[in-house]
Amino acid sequence: MTTEPAEFHERSPHLFRLMAFATGLATLILGILSAYWLARDILPLFGRLLRDAPIVVTPYLAFMLIAMCTVTPIVVVTSLHACWRAQKFDPSPQSRMFRFQRNSYKLTVWSMIFISPALAVLVTLGLWAKGYTPCQKLLISGSAWRVYWVNDARYCFKPDFYNSDEQPCKHVGNRTLCTEGGRQ
């Protein structure tokens, strides 16, 4: 037996609009940051792989940011609709917006389950095919999802510090040597 409250309080349209706006804004910010991190972490990976860099850093967790980039447009659109009309986004099944919503969510699920893992596996296979091997000595403490790959055993060493590009550096005498021509 359920009991109903004595008074039924209707949802405030202003609060609903505020929450929809906050959700859309937060999702837009996360989507932009995800795209930035993908461009900063994943795209240079392919450049280093193509030019046979001595050390290639593979941030495996960053591949999952693809899903955030695919879900951002639909969440922003639905949030704007909710903010503008003060009602939930519920398009009819025959409309283009319904197909856009369905396809966006399908693409997000596909990117989480298939695209991101497949891309990470392909990058790993590409590294192995080019003669790279993982180097445990180069790991930064707490970076379990980031793997350093080297194509020459001489580059697998315990670094003294890392430069701003996260490339390992070593003090040799009175000189500081960094891989990839990084900043000192």
Side-chain angles (χ1 to χ4, degrees):
M1 175 182 217
T2 61
T3 58
E4 296 292 324
E7 290 182 32
F8 176 73
H9 295 283
E10 198 170 309
R11 174 186 70 210
S12 166
H14 299 298
L15 181 61
F16 183 77
R17 284 184 166 134
L18 179 64
M19 292 304 296
F21 177 76
T23 300
L25 184 62
T27 303
L28 181 63
I29 290 169
L30 288 174
I32 290 170
L33 287 174
S34 295
Y36 168 75
W37 286 322
L38 279 171
R40 192 194 81 193
D41 288 344
I42 300 297
L43 293 180
L45 168 73
F46 296 112
R48 288 184 178 137
L49 184 60
L50 289 175
R51 72 174 192 271
D52 293 326
I55 297 175
V56 175
V57 184
T58 308
Y60 285 104
L61 197 57
F63 287 104
M64 290 307 289
L65 294 174
I66 295 169
M68 187 63 203
C69 292
T70 59
V71 79
T72 296
I74 188 59
V75 173
V76 169
V77 166
T78 58
S79 296
L80 285 174
H81 176 273
C83 187
W84 185 260
R85 296 200 175 170
Q87 62 186 17
K88 71 177 188 169
F89 183 76
D90 191 20
S92 67
Q94 294 79 21
S95 69
R96 289 191 323 200
M97 287 307 290
F98 180 81
R99 286 191 306 275
F100 173 64
Q101 179 183 22
R102 184 187 67 224
N103 291 335
S104 292
Y105 288 133
K106 280 171 53 176
L107 180 61
T108 300
V109 170
W110 270 82
S111 70
M112 287 188 301
I113 296 173
F114 298 112
I115 298 170
S116 296
L119 191 57
V121 167
L122 287 174
V123 165
T124 302
L125 293 175
L127 285 162
W128 275 330
K130 291 195 99 169
Y132 285 87
T133 57
C135 176
Q136 297 297 322
K137 292 179 186 176
L138 290 174
L139 282 180
I140 299 172
S141 177
S143 64
W145 290 97
R146 182 169 296 227
V147 177
Y148 284 80
W149 295 76
V150 296
N151 62 0
D152 187 345
R154 293 177 295 174
Y155 288 104
C156 190
F157 60 91
K158 183 72 176 161
D160 295 327
F161 66 96
Y162 293 85
N163 65 13
S164 60
D165 293 332
E166 296 182 3
Q167 294 299 319
C169 299
K170 188 112 176 127
H171 294 294
V172 178
N174 60 354
R175 296 181 350 179
T176 301
L177 301 175
C178 297
T179 60
E180 289 289 311
R183 294 180 286 260
Q184 295 182 7

